[in-house]
């Protein structure tokens, strides 16, 4: 039980002020009214951010292309710059980038923004060709991608702000969990750990013959869910997989919750399979959930490989001065080579030599045996928070993840990806269980879900789960989100040692 629960208390109704103000919407549950308020505020912020992105892109592009002087020739482009925010807002509405089910978490929001941007560029090209407009391609290819990129960055910043609010216990959905004890414990543990999802478990409904302890207020059995929603002040009901709640019972529950517009979520028994791989197909009136295979081969992987290698080349050029500075610091502060080379295991078990800036003394490998008993990690990894083998410069390199930069060479060589599971040692792979070996189905990455979710502070089983989630649900938009989250993870330096 100690491993199942976080020491951080759950902000349930018992710990909240009794006079918390809210605006009740007629016909809606009180908790739903509170949720609607912060959700509306968030959507308004998105609209303002997208309009700001359009205005900024139009103004910057016009200024760089024509300067600050308005002439008869560029007056048409000034009008286009003024219409760009409106056009951007329109395509985002059409691509459903403001629907709340796609916001707050996941990559669907960014995918819809990018899809709307591609549609806007294609529409501009078609209209200019059909009407024979003398439109400068350089202007279009500068203004529109800038607007879309700025919108994505602003949305990412607003989401990070929302996640910070949720870490403080604000802007959360109040969830009532319905299911058996072990399932309730598992989902509660995960939602408390991944608080950015915004689901705060405030109570549970258990089977009539339950005898377990779930560390939650229990508001009755499966027959008491509707009344429990009012008692727990919940706005969302999560039904876990259990035989007692069949299709008929769920339908009746949905009808009852519909009166107060309380959300009903049915948790699938599938583990870490994203919605993009699932499709509901009716079969003689019975909904069948079809699960597609993960995209481990084919055209999508070719695109990822091109994206990785081109991105690594660009980053090598951008970080060139940083690489030279770090190499000089390593050379001048401790004896030994600048680069540390080590055999790691890549895709399908193939071995390669990874490049890193040396952050330890040259005798680090020889001293490993005498430090084994100090291992602070619970899996096959060996991690010590204050490792005596790390040089003073190496501590700063690890804190800022600068020691990882030479791995860009491995990405250019096709041995690694920018985003992927952590590259393991052969000794670690030898200790893998069968399901853990699934991590080797893709190239290892310089960063990944494991790295941006806590790095060495995460337990081994959680690190494996995150890597397997990435393998099963890879997409290019997910890679972009992880790269953005990597920047904030490096600035926090949490779990880097």
């Amino acid at each position: 039980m100690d491993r199942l629960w976080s020491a951080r208390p759950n902000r349930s109704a018992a710990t909240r002020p009794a006079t918390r103000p809210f605006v009740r919407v007629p016909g809606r549950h009180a908790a739903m009214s509170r949720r609607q308020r912060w959700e509306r505020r968030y959507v308004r912020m998105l609209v303002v951010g997208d309009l700001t992105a359009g205005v900024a892109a139009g103004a910057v592009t016009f200024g760089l292309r024509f300067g600050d002087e308005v002439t008869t020739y560029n007056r048409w482009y000034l009008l286009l710059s003024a219409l760009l925010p409106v056009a951007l807002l329109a395509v985002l509405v059409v691509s459903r980038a403001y629907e709340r089910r796609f916001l707050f978490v996941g990559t669907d929001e960014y995918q819809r923004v990018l899809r709307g941007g591609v549609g806007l560029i294609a529409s501009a090209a078609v209209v200019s060709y059909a009407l024979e407009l003398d439109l400068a391609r350089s202007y279009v290819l500068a203004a529109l991608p800038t607007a879309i990129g700025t919108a994505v960055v602003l949305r990412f910043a607003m989401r990070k702000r929302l996640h910070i609010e949720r870490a403080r216990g604000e802007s959360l959905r109040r969830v009532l969990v319905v299911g058996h004890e072990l399932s309730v414990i598992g989902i509660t543990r995960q939602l408390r750990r991944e608080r950015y999802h915004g689901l705060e478990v405030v109570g549970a409904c258990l089977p009539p013959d339950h005898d377990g302890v779930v560390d939650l207020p229990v508001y009755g059995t499966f027959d008491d869910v509707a009344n429990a929603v009012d008692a727990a002040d919940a706005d969302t009901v999560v039904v876990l997989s259990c035989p007692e709640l069949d299709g008929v019972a769920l339908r009746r529950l949905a009808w009852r919750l519909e009166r107060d517009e309380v959300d009903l979520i049915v948790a699938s028994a599938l583990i870490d399979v994203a919605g993009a791989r699932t499709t509901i197909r009716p079969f003689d009136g019975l909904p069948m959930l079809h699960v597609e295979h993960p995209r481990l081969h084919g055209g999508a992987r070719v695109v990822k490989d091109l994206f990785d290698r081109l991105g690594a080349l660009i980053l090598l050029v951008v970080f060139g001065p940083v690489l030279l500075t770090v190499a000089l610091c390593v050379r001048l502060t401790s004896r030994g080579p600048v680069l540390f080379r080590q055999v790691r295991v890549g895709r399908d078990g193939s071995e390669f030599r990874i490049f890193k800036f040396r952050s330890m003394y040259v005798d680090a490998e020889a001293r490993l045996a005498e430090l084994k008993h100090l291992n602070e990690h619970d899996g096959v990894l060996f991690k010590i928070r204050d490792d005596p083998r790390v040089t003073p410069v190496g501590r700063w390199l690890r804190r800022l993840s600068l020691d990882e930069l030479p791995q860009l060479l491995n990405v250019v060589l096709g041995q690694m990806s920018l985003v992927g599971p952590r590259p393991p040692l052969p000794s670690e792979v030898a200790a893998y269980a069968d399901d853990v070996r699934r991590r080797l189905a893709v190239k290892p990455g310089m960063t990944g879900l494991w790295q941006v979710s806590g790095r060495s502070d995460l337990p081994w089983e959680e690190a494996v789960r995150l890597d397997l989630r990435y393998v099963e649900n890879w997409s290019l938009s997910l890679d972009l989100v992880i790269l953005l989250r990597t920047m904030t993870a490096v600035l926090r330096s949490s779990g880097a040692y």
Side-chain angles (χ1 to χ4, degrees), residues 73 129 131 151 181 183 218 307 385 404 408 449 479 488 490:
Y73 171 72
Y129 177 78
L131 300 180
E181 296 97 306
S183 299
V218 178
F307 174 80
R385 190 173 298 273
E404 312 282 350
L408 291 170
L449 283 176
D479 280 5
T488 58
V490 170

Side-chain angles (χ1 to χ4, degrees), residues 332-347:
L332 296 178
T333 56
S334 62
R335 182 176 56 87
V338 171
L339 291 179
F340 173 72
R341 298 173 178 84
Q342 190 178 47
V343 175
R344 297 293 180 100
V345 179
R347 183 177 181 180

Side-chain angles (χ1 to χ4, degrees), residues 8-12 16 20 31-32 34-36 38-39 41 162-175 191 194-202 233-236:
R8 186 172 189 170
N10 193 33
R11 290 171 57 89
S12 63
R16 292 172 181 258
R20 182 175 58 176
M32 172 62 72
R34 284 192 292 268
R35 199 190 85 195
Q36 290 283 344
W38 70 257
E39 286 185 351
R41 184 180 72 248
L162 175 65
H163 291 176
I164 293 174
E165 291 179 358
R166 287 176 168 177
R168 296 196 303 257
E170 304 170 5
S171 302
L172 297 171
R173 293 189 179 192
R174 295 175 58 79
V175 175
L191 293 179
E194 300 180 1
R195 201 172 178 83
Y196 62 89
H197 283 287
L199 300 178
E200 176 190 24
V201 181
V202 296
D233 195 21
D235 56 52
T236 303

Side-chain angles (χ1 to χ4, degrees), residues 67-369:
D68 56 357
E69 182 179 356
V70 179
T71 64
T72 305
Y73 171 72
N74 63 26
R75 191 174 301 162
W76 169 248
Y77 292 94
L78 182 62
L79 177 61
L80 289 180
S81 298
L83 292 177
L84 178 57
V86 180
L88 178 62
L89 190 65
V91 297
L92 293 183
V93 170
V94 172
S95 61
R96 301 160 67 188
Y98 296 106
E99 290 192 16
R100 299 178 188 184
R101 57 176 171 166
F102 303 126
L103 304 178
F104 315 130
V105 293
T107 62
D108 282 340
E109 176 185 356
Y110 305 117
Q111 289 177 348
R112 292 181 180 278
V113 173
L114 295 175
R115 195 176 302 144
V118 172
L120 182 58
I121 295 174
S123 300
V126 171
V127 170
S128 63
Y129 177 78
L131 300 180
E132 298 182 354
L133 300 177
D134 187 16
L135 189 61
R137 289 188 293 269
S138 60
Y139 178 84
V140 175
L141 295 178
L144 299 187
T146 301
I148 296 301
T150 305
V152 170
V153 172
L154 289 177
R155 282 172 174 255
F156 177 79
M158 283 186 276
R159 181 180 290 191
K160 294 302 294 183
R161 178 185 174 184
L162 175 65
H163 291 176
I164 293 174
E165 291 179 358
R166 287 176 168 177
R168 296 196 303 257
E170 304 170 5
S171 302
L172 297 171
R173 293 189 179 192
R174 295 175 58 79
V175 175
L176 179 74
V177 181
V178 181
H180 290 270
E181 296 97 306
L182 290 180
S183 299
V184 169
I185 290 174
I187 193 67
T188 305
R189 175 189 63 176
Q190 185 169 346
L191 293 179
R192 286 181 177 177
R193 182 176 60 242
E194 300 180 1
R195 201 172 178 83
Y196 62 89
H197 283 287
L199 300 178
E200 176 190 24
V201 181
V202 296
C205 287
L206 303 177
D209 57 346
H210 73 87
D211 56 0
V213 179
V214 295
D215 194 29
L216 285 170
V218 178
Y219 291 97
T221 65
F222 296 162
D223 296 328
D224 304 317
V225 174
N227 295 327
V229 168
D230 293 325
D233 195 21
D235 56 52
T236 303
V237 174
V238 174
V239 178
L240 305 177
S241 179
C242 53
E244 293 89 345
L245 292 171
D246 56 9
V248 175
L250 277 177
R251 183 175 59 189
R252 292 173 180 169
L253 178 60
W255 290 344
R256 176 62 181 84
L257 298 178
E258 182 183 359
R259 302 175 190 175
D260 290 325
E261 297 191 20
V262 176
D263 285 351
L264 175 62
I265 300 175
V266 180
S268 171
L270 295 174
I271 299 177
D272 290 327
V273 175
R277 290 180 51 205
T278 59
T279 306
I280 296 180
R281 299 178 179 176
F283 179 77
D284 195 21
L286 180 66
M288 307 290 285
L289 188 65
H290 178 76
V291 182
E292 298 178 358
H293 296 297
R295 295 180 295 174
L296 301 178
H297 305 282
R301 284 293 166 178
V302 174
V303 173
K304 177 177 173 61
D305 189 60
L306 293 175
F307 174 80
D308 287 334
R309 298 196 184 201
L310 181 60
L313 285 173
I314 294 174
L315 291 175
L316 280 174
V317 174
V318 172
F319 288 110
V322 177
L323 291 167
L324 293 176
T325 303
V326 173
L328 186 62
C329 292
V330 173
R331 169 66 71 180
L332 296 178
T333 56
S334 62
R335 182 176 56 87
V338 171
L339 291 179
F340 173 72
R341 298 173 178 84
Q342 190 178 47
V343 175
R344 297 293 180 100
V345 179
R347 183 177 181 180
D348 297 329
S350 60
E351 295 186 352
F352 66 97
R353 288 192 175 273
I354 197 173
F355 300 106
K356 299 177 67 175
F357 281 123
R358 182 175 54 83
S359 60
M360 291 185 173
Y361 295 105
V362 291
D363 61 344
E365 293 292 328
R367 298 171 59 187
L368 179 60

Side-chain angles (χ1 to χ4, degrees), residues 3 372-384 422 424-425 427-433 436 439 450 455-464 497:
R3 295 187 62 189
K372 277 286 189 181
H373 65 286
L374 300 176
N375 188 15
E376 299 177 10
H377 211 274
D378 61 346
V380 301
L381 300 180
F382 177 78
K383 291 288 183 180
I384 304 177
R422 174 189 168 274
L425 293 166
S427 58
E428 296 170 358
V429 174
Y432 278 179
V436 182
R439 301 169 79 235
W450 177 78
R455 291 187 272 191
S456 299
D457 287 339
L458 290 178
W460 168 248
E461 62 180 22
E462 177 64 13
V464 170
Y497 52 86

